[in-house]
Amino acid sequence: MFRWIFVSTLSLAGQAGLLANTLQVCKSCPVSSIREAIQMARPCDTIFVEKGIYAEGNILIDKELMLIGRDKPVLDGEGKTEIVTIAANHVHFEGFVIKNVGISYSQDRAGIRVKEVSDFYVKNNRVENAFFGIYLQHAKNGTIEGNEVVGEAVNETSSGNAIHLWYCDNVLILNNITHGHRDGIYLEFVNFSTIQGNHSERNVRYGLHFMFSNDDIYRGNTFLDNGAGVAVMYSRRIGMFSNVFQKNWGPAAYGLLLKEIHDSKIEGNTFQENTVGIFAETSNRIVYTKNNFIQNGWALKISGGCQQNNLIANNFLGNSFDLAVHSAGTDNLFDGNFWSDYAGYDLDHDGIGDVPHRPMKLFSYVVSNTPESLVLLRSLFVDILNLSEKVSPIFTPENVVDNKPLLAESN
Amino acid sequence: MFKILKYSFYDLIRSRWTYIYCGFYLLFTLSLLWLSNDLSKVVISLMNVVLLLCPLIATMFGVMYYYNSREFTELLLAQPVRRTSIFLGQYLGVAGSLSASWVIGVGVPFALYGVFGSEQAGNFAMLLFTGVVLSFVFSAIAFFIALKNENRIKGFGLAILAWLFFAVIYDGLLLLSLSLLTEYPLEKFSLIASLLNPIDLSRILILLKLDVSALMGFTGAVFRKFLGTGFGMAIAFGVLMLWVAMPVWSIKRVAGRKDF
């Protein structure tokens, strides 16, 4: 009789196992360690981790599991190791606080590492005081959502990136917050990915950094007060839509730095109060449209070797310099923008100024040759210089001209 | 001295030109505010105006007043009054009434639009301050030139030339020297050079408020580092005060020696 009951419960338990079990980890539970729980669990199980501090060194998730932290349990690395390593497909990791990874100069330690897997979901975690925050390598088809990665980086060499992607495909990075790291979000060899709704603030180097990554989109992100807002380098076919670049201030600070990037689209972004809104170097076939440049030092600096860029229907409002183009003879197009210092008229009332506008001022040219002359900004002499140059351009490239300047802001 | 200051001041306050000057600012500021309805934009446009108009009007007014009140001055000189108090009184009367016109002409419309308590209050205070200082500096320079020159035409010409020098020519020379010496480190040079011109100095104080983004760049960093600190600000204000004190002291000296 007893034996029969025992056998039947055993078989029931076996069946339930197939349907996925749940395990609970807490300090007073039968299972008090996350490592132990992972060992006991079978694929497709869910592990709930209750509130508490778990200092278990490296936690390796090598099975298809769902780990969910309740009331923000803390995983403390005590400054010695990497903390969470996800090394299985279909892992869901949610709701943890990950702390104290510790700086290493020999390995790239991370708060959460996603290693050579697909279909992962890392959600609503908080990573504090980490070297690298969330590190994805050779990962694909996953989502990083709603995480907060907060560091206290002082310089570039002793800090890692908040969210770091290396050789990844088709990843969605959604609504994360990054503070105080080297780069907020770093992408190297990452293709077909979307970065959306993130907030990068006070990172030492860049808010978002692309290297050798193609066919990506970033949309609706905010980059505030970073060393530079976003750097897009050696990449192709990047879509940059509706982002906000703000207060990226400093000697080498840009809202957006473009270096060797081709065939991309920059649309509907706002660049406000940056030292340089966009700095473009050898970047070809880029369409800038419907962006707002507001009160930047330089709205747009285009250096030599940039060709076939189209600047259409943007608003330039109250920048110290709207445009600085370094080389003549480029075939870039600057038509149909609104320039707040346009002084022409519109006799036929079609909303387009009858006099072409030259956004590149002589003083902008002078400053690029003699940077110290910036001290004369807004002086009467400089205004007179600009006026005379405007009447008959000698120094500024003649083809940098907006033939259809708008009379009112476009939206 | 205060009696003479009072006479000059009341005399000028009753003068048509003061009213026109004050009325111009009043109308100008009101129309700007009415057209744009945005305090910050109006502050920016007025900052360009203050650098141009305040020195010019102060120069013209100072010379004009000195030559026009010459008979009255001679009458006063016959009385037992100290020379310095006569001229300083007159000077302060001119500078005071100009400043009052400026402050009222610009201040009243802004007060009506509620600048106090808004975030533009700091910029606005800087605007008023530079206007007042420039009025004081340039009416002193004008007085000094007028005292030195009996010939009215020459005096007027020199005063206008002085204004032109500080407003335009100085910057041109500075730009020229900067572009000629471009191989050398010029940050300190340009900083010191701009301290030596009251208009440039006022302009930079204003720039620090307005074009912060541009000044955050590599070269701007020098200015920001210097003028952004309390020490730099103190030096800037000190130099501006010196720019008031120097011509005033010269007036005193010349007036003491001059043979009428």
Side-chain angles (χ1 to χ4, degrees):
Chain A
M1 176 72 186
F2 275 109
R3 179 169 291 171
W4 181 80
I5 290 172
F6 180 65
V7 168
S8 68
T9 35
L10 205 68
S11 65
L12 266 174
Q15 277 164 14
L18 286 176
L19 296 170
N21 256 328
T22 57
L23 282 118
Q24 197 182 26
V25 179
C26 68
K27 286 294 162 194
S28 54
C29 300
V31 184
S32 64
S33 135
I34 301 171
R35 278 188 173 194
E36 203 181 320
I38 293 170
Q39 253 172 18
M40 287 166 61
R42 292 151 136 235
C44 299
D45 280 359
T46 302
I47 298 173
F48 288 105
V49 180
E50 303 294 333
K51 194 173 182 164
I53 297 174
Y54 302 86
E56 302 182 23
N58 180 262
I59 295 168
L60 176 70
I61 305 173
D62 52 358
K63 290 173 193 159
E64 190 177 322
L65 290 176
M66 198 168 185
L67 265 85
I68 294 176
R70 282 175 170 162
D71 299 324
K72 297 273 165 196
V74 177
L75 310 184
D76 195 335
E78 297 176 319
K80 286 180 285 199
T81 57
E82 178 156 306
I83 301 175
V84 177
T85 309
I86 297 175
N89 294 339
H90 303 284
V91 169
H92 178 121
F93 186 80
E94 180 180 346
F96 289 87
V97 175
I98 289 151
K99 254 188 189 170
N100 306 332
V101 171
I103 295 167
S104 159
Y105 291 98
S106 53
Q107 28 172 193
D108 288 346
R109 286 181 188 162
I112 303 171
R113 180 183 297 270
V114 181
K115 201 172 169 184
E116 293 159 27
V117 299
S118 75
D119 304 289
F120 52 89
Y121 193 31
V122 177
K123 189 181 174 188
N124 294 349
N125 300 288
R126 183 181 161 87
V127 183
E128 285 172 21
N129 192 20
F131 186 45
F132 281 81
I134 301 174
Y135 194 121
L136 276 62
Q137 62 187 83
H138 290 284
K140 56 186 177 188
N141 309 336
T143 304
I144 306 284
E145 185 183 342
N147 301 286
E148 199 175 344
V149 186
V150 182
E152 283 151 19
V154 193
N155 55 36
E156 285 183 21
T157 45
S158 66
S159 59
N161 304 318
I163 298 176
H164 183 105
L165 275 72
W166 191 63
Y167 279 109
C168 293
D169 268 352
N170 203 4
V171 175
L172 175 63
I173 300 177
L174 194 66
N175 300 340
N176 300 285
I177 298 174
T178 60
H179 284 298
H181 275 266
R182 190 205 297 156
D183 288 344
I185 301 170
Y186 178 88
L187 311 172
E188 192 170 347
F189 307 110
V190 175
N191 302 327
F192 303 104
S193 294
T194 303
I195 294 114
Q196 190 169 330
N198 301 287
H199 184 101
S200 286
E201 194 175 335
R202 281 182 284 106
N203 292 297
V204 181
R205 196 168 62 182
Y206 302 121
L208 170 62
H209 190 174
F210 285 85
M211 293 290 265
F212 313 106
S213 298
N214 304 327
D215 304 290
D216 299 308
I217 289 176
Y218 65 98
R219 184 188 282 132
N221 303 286
T222 302
F223 305 100
L224 187 68
D225 194 15
N226 298 294
V230 175
V232 183
M233 300 182 178
Y234 313 103
S235 300
R236 282 161 189 276
R237 298 178 298 278
I238 306 288
M240 319 175 201
F241 307 118
S242 313
N243 301 287
V244 176
F245 305 78
Q246 214 171 9
K247 289 193 177 160
N248 297 295
W249 274 346
Y254 313 101
L256 173 58
L257 170 66
L258 303 173
K259 192 174 166 66
E260 308 225 2
I261 144 163
H262 310 300
D263 306 297
S264 296
K265 197 164 186 191
I266 301 173
E267 185 175 328
N269 301 286
T270 301
F271 299 86
Q272 194 165 12
E273 293 171 70
N274 303 289
T275 300
V276 179
I278 299 182
F279 183 78
E281 217 174 64
T282 45
S283 301
N284 304 328
R285 299 180 300 280
I286 294 173
V287 178
Y288 303 82
T289 180
K290 294 177 189 158
N291 300 294
N292 291 315
F293 298 89
I294 305 167
Q295 289 173 343
N296 299 288
W298 285 261
L300 196 55
K301 260 190 182 176
I302 298 179
S303 78
C306 290
Q307 298 195 339
Q308 295 172 38
N309 296 299
N310 290 347
L311 196 74
I312 297 163
N314 300 286
N315 295 318
F316 292 83
L317 309 168
N319 302 294
S320 300
F321 301 96
D322 283 335
L323 195 60
V325 180
H326 279 257
S327 59
T330 51
D331 50 356
N332 300 311
L333 193 72
F334 303 94
D335 277 354
N337 300 290
F338 173 74
W339 314 87
S340 61
D341 60 350
Y342 176 58
Y345 47 81
D346 177 24
L347 287 182
D348 49 4
H349 295 289
D350 59 353
I352 295 165
D354 299 345
V355 189
H357 179 63
R358 302 192 167 277
M360 169 112 182
K361 293 190 182 127
L362 175 58
F363 190 53
S364 174
Y365 169 82
V366 172
V367 168
S368 62
N369 287 334
T370 319
E372 291 82 6
S373 59
L374 187 65
V375 70
L376 293 171
L377 182 64
R378 281 184 203 273
S379 104
L380 182 60
F381 181 75
V382 164
D383 289 346
I384 295 170
L385 268 187
N386 284 337
L387 187 72
S388 62
E389 174 74 11
K390 202 171 162 184
V391 175
S392 55
I394 300 164
F395 298 99
T396 51
E398 213 169 314
N399 52 2
V400 178
V401 59
D402 187 338
N403 290 308
K404 301 170 196 159
L406 298 183
L407 282 178
E409 279 178 54
S410 66
N411 31 37
Chain B
M1 184 172 106
F2 285 103
K3 206 155 225 172
I4 291 162
L5 192 161
K6 211 173 84 184
Y7 279 127
S8 301
F9 191 76
Y10 282 133
D11 181 23
L12 279 159
I13 283 289
R14 279 197 299 268
S15 139
R16 206 182 324 143
W17 289 109
T18 317
Y19 285 118
I20 291 176
Y21 183 54
C22 184
F24 165 74
Y25 278 132
L26 209 65
L27 215 67
F28 185 67
T29 316
L30 267 177
S31 55
L32 276 180
L33 280 168
W34 186 66
L35 281 174
S36 79
N37 223 339
D38 179 354
L39 286 178
S40 65
K41 275 186 188 158
V42 177
V43 169
I44 291 172
S45 349
L46 276 176
M47 279 178 171
N48 292 327
V49 168
V50 62
L51 296 175
L52 182 69
L53 272 188
C54 275
L56 179 62
I57 301 291
T59 314
M60 303 286 290
F61 229 76
V63 181
M64 221 163 66
Y65 184 77
Y66 176 84
Y67 286 133
N68 277 344
S69 62
R70 192 169 156 89
E71 282 166 19
F72 177 58
T73 314
E74 275 172 14
L75 184 75
L76 277 177
L77 284 168
Q79 310 298 319
V81 193
R82 289 184 56 193
R83 276 185 166 199
T84 49
S85 54
I86 294 175
F87 290 103
L88 282 185
Q90 285 186 342
Y91 159 67
L92 288 176
V94 172
S97 68
L98 283 171
S99 306
S101 303
W102 160 252
V103 170
I104 292 169
V106 173
V108 169
F110 267 93
L112 286 179
Y113 272 78
V115 73
F116 303 107
S118 79
E119 55 196 65
Q120 288 297 320
N123 289 357
F124 180 68
M126 180 64 95
L127 179 77
L128 282 186
F129 174 77
T130 44
V132 168
V133 169
L134 285 175
S135 299
F136 269 83
V137 172
F138 279 87
S139 47
I141 291 174
F143 245 74
F144 172 71
I145 289 172
L147 263 171
K148 277 285 219 187
N149 293 283
E150 287 293 300
N151 186 337
R152 291 183 179 206
I153 305 295
K154 205 176 159 196
F156 257 110
L158 277 176
I160 294 289
L161 196 68
W163 170 79
L164 201 65
F165 176 77
F166 284 118
V168 184
I169 298 170
Y170 187 89
D171 290 350
L173 293 176
L174 182 57
L175 186 61
L176 195 68
S177 52
L178 284 176
S179 49
L180 285 179
L181 301 170
T182 188
E183 297 94 89
Y184 299 91
L186 290 168
E187 283 93 356
K188 279 198 180 135
F189 168 72
S190 53
L191 188 65
I192 291 166
S194 49
L195 280 179
L196 294 179
N197 178 346
I199 296 185
D200 275 354
L201 188 55
S202 319
R203 188 169 47 75
I204 287 169
L205 286 176
I206 291 169
L207 280 186
L208 281 173
K209 296 262 174 203
L210 289 185
D211 289 84
V212 177
S213 314
L215 292 175
M216 289 287 166
F218 182 66
T219 36
V222 180
F223 302 103
R224 199 170 40 84
K225 225 180 258 171
F226 178 70
L227 292 167
T229 59
F231 174 71
M233 269 300 193
I235 287 203
F237 282 124
V239 172
L240 270 182
M241 287 303 128
L242 212 66
W243 263 108
V244 180
M246 225 160 45
V248 170
W249 178 76
S250 309
I251 290 174
K252 219 176 129 181
R253 212 178 55 115
V254 173
R257 287 200 200 147
K258 192 174 158 78
D259 185 21
F260 283 90

